[in-house]
Amino acid sequence: MVISNNDSTDDKSQKYKEQYLAMDAEERKAFGVWSQAIRALGWGLSDKEKKEQQELKEYKQDVKNCTRCEKWRNELLKTSPIVRFMSEHLHKSGFPLSPENMPCIKCEEMRSGGFAEDGTIQLCYNRLFGKGHLETTMAHEMVHAYDQANFDIDWYNLEHHACTEIRAASLSGDCTWFQETMRGNVGFLKHHQVCVKRRAVLSLLANPSCKSKKHAEAAVNKVFQSCFTDTRPFDEIY
């Protein structure tokens, strides 16, 4: 059936209704599948309906990603050697860790996790590439938690902040050859140290006390040797 462009909206709706009523059961079923597919693509929707459809899609994806993050986190707290090791030492340091103070949240920034001064470890469910990435992120933030529990850290003192970032990047597995290859950074000569410095500088750039990249680099270089060789609570770099 051809509908003229001159037809009013009411006329078109009436003709579509008549055509639909004329279909048999199989035709109606096929039409239903086709119309759902068309609506999924956004065809025939108003701008408001398209916006609502996109918001619903994003919400469902958020729920899926958050649920997956929480599942992985709970599994890693029970099965990951490095996470369990850090959990044990945090407990000894008077910093008991649980899923309640390690929430999965949505992050606007390009980061996979974060450590808040109140002791909360944030896991960014929308920035995770996989379970292994979450494991490294948890270990990284747990090193920060360990440092906060055992040392008098002033997070607005760039040298203090640089030290814990150096330790976290080095001890968590954040700078393994595999992790660096995934980032597109390949090197051989002292590449672990190069990675640790680079990632520590990137973290310091977000500190309100940091004036520039040179300021961050100076703080990292000043404390690098002493903080890089401090592997507590590990006997050596993981």
Side-chain angles (χ1 to χ4, degrees):
M1 178 179 66
V2 177
I3 300 178
S4 168
N5 289 332
N6 294 324
D7 290 337
S8 68
T9 301
D10 290 341
D11 289 339
K12 290 179 181 179
S13 297
Q14 182 60 34
K15 290 178 180 179
Y16 280 133
K17 183 178 180 180
E18 291 173 357
Q19 186 180 38
Y20 180 78
L21 292 173
M23 295 178 182
D24 60 29
E26 285 298 318
E27 289 174 331
R28 289 184 184 181
K29 182 179 179 180
F31 177 77
V33 172
W34 174 83
S35 61
Q36 286 179 6
I38 291 298
R39 291 183 68 83
L41 293 172
W43 297 354
L45 298 179
S46 67
D47 290 341
K48 181 181 178 182
E49 288 173 327
K50 288 179 181 179
K51 182 180 179 181
E52 291 173 347
Q53 184 185 63
Q54 182 61 31
E55 288 174 348
L56 178 60
K57 181 179 178 181
E58 290 175 359
Y59 172 76
K60 288 181 177 179
Q61 189 62 49
D62 279 344
V63 171
K64 179 180 178 181
N65 289 343
C66 185
T67 301
R68 182 182 62 178
C69 173
E70 291 174 342
K71 177 176 179 289
W72 285 347
R73 175 202 61 199
N74 295 343
E75 290 173 352
L76 289 167
L77 285 169
K78 295 177 181 178
T79 63
S80 166
I82 188 171
V83 171
R84 290 185 64 184
F85 177 84
M86 287 303 304
S87 294
E88 178 184 341
H89 283 274
L90 282 169
H91 184 76
K92 290 179 180 178
S93 301
F95 191 103
L97 199 64
S98 68
E100 284 68 37
N101 58 2
M102 192 179 274
C104 291
I105 65 171
K106 186 173 185 176
C107 300
E108 297 300 326
E109 308 92 339
M110 288 302 296
R111 61 187 177 93
S112 57
F115 179 73
E117 291 182 66
D118 65 358
T120 300
I121 291 177
Q122 301 170 344
L123 305 174
C124 302
Y125 66 72
N126 58 320
R127 303 297 186 195
L128 299 173
F129 301 122
K131 191 175 182 179
H133 186 204
L134 177 59
E135 180 180 34
T136 301
T137 299
M138 289 171 66
H140 182 110
E141 304 306 337
M142 291 167 88
V143 172
H144 289 322
Y146 177 87
D147 287 354
Q148 168 121 325
N150 289 278
F151 311 117
D152 185 19
I153 294 182
D154 175 0
W155 289 94
Y156 297 99
N157 180 316
L158 279 198
E159 291 179 17
H160 287 198
H161 189 185
C163 191
T164 189
E165 290 296 349
I166 289 167
R167 283 171 37 75
S170 180
L171 299 173
S172 65
D174 201 21
C175 283
T176 61
W177 183 86
F178 176 76
Q179 291 285 354
E180 279 291 86
T181 301
M182 291 293 289
R183 299 183 187 112
N185 299 314
V186 181
F188 298 97
L189 185 62
K190 293 187 175 180
H191 190 69
H192 181 76
Q193 291 92 324
V194 172
C195 169
V196 169
K197 283 187 176 183
R198 186 186 70 250
R199 296 192 66 75
V201 168
L202 287 173
S203 294
L204 260 63
L205 290 174
N207 191 314
S209 299
C210 184
K211 299 175 183 177
S212 65
K213 185 176 180 181
K214 285 186 177 180
H215 191 196
E217 289 173 340
V220 169
N221 289 331
K222 185 174 181 179
V223 302
F224 185 79
Q225 190 58 35
S226 61
C227 298
F228 182 76
T229 55
D230 182 356
T231 62
R232 288 176 288 179
F234 299 92
D235 292 329
E236 58 185 1
I237 295 174
Y238 176 72

